[in-house]
Amino acid sequence: KGAMARVYYRRAGQSAFETASMKPQDGEDSPALMAELPAAVGKARHLQYYVEVRDGSGALLRSSGSALSPHLVILDPLARIS
């Protein structure tokens, strides 16, 4: 308990990462996490992100990606959800 997950993200052309808190997707004990990002993020062509989980004292517990090596998502404005 006391751990906090955050996603750090930036759109194409941004130098600094913005951040959003993450929460369990399906209730408090769910291993799946989700975050809500501003709609403007979806208008970008590319999105870079990484995730960190820290304990109450700020120590890093887990991460996926990093500020120096973020994940890349290419956003297709013509994509359809099926």
Side-chain angles (χ1 to χ4, degrees):
K1 295 271 179 183
M4 178 180 238
R6 298 185 76 73
V7 60
Y8 297 83
Y9 62 93
R10 66 182 174 196
R11 293 168 282 184
Q14 277 188 300
S15 57
F17 284 91
E18 297 180 56
T19 184
S21 295
M22 300 185 79
K23 60 185 177 185
Q25 182 174 331
D26 298 315
E28 191 171 319
D29 295 326
S30 174
L33 298 173
M34 63 168 279
E36 293 182 11
L37 304 180
V41 171
K43 294 178 183 173
R45 299 280 293 147
H46 302 93
L47 174 69
Q48 293 181 319
Y49 77 95
Y50 65 98
V51 176
E52 292 184 344
V53 179
R54 295 185 176 269
D55 68 14
S57 66
L60 183 63
L61 299 175
R62 297 201 87 162
S63 65
S64 179
S66 69
L68 296 177
S69 183
H71 299 292
L72 174 65
V73 177
I74 298 172
L75 303 171
D76 182 353
L78 303 176
R80 294 178 187 228
I81 298 174
S82 54

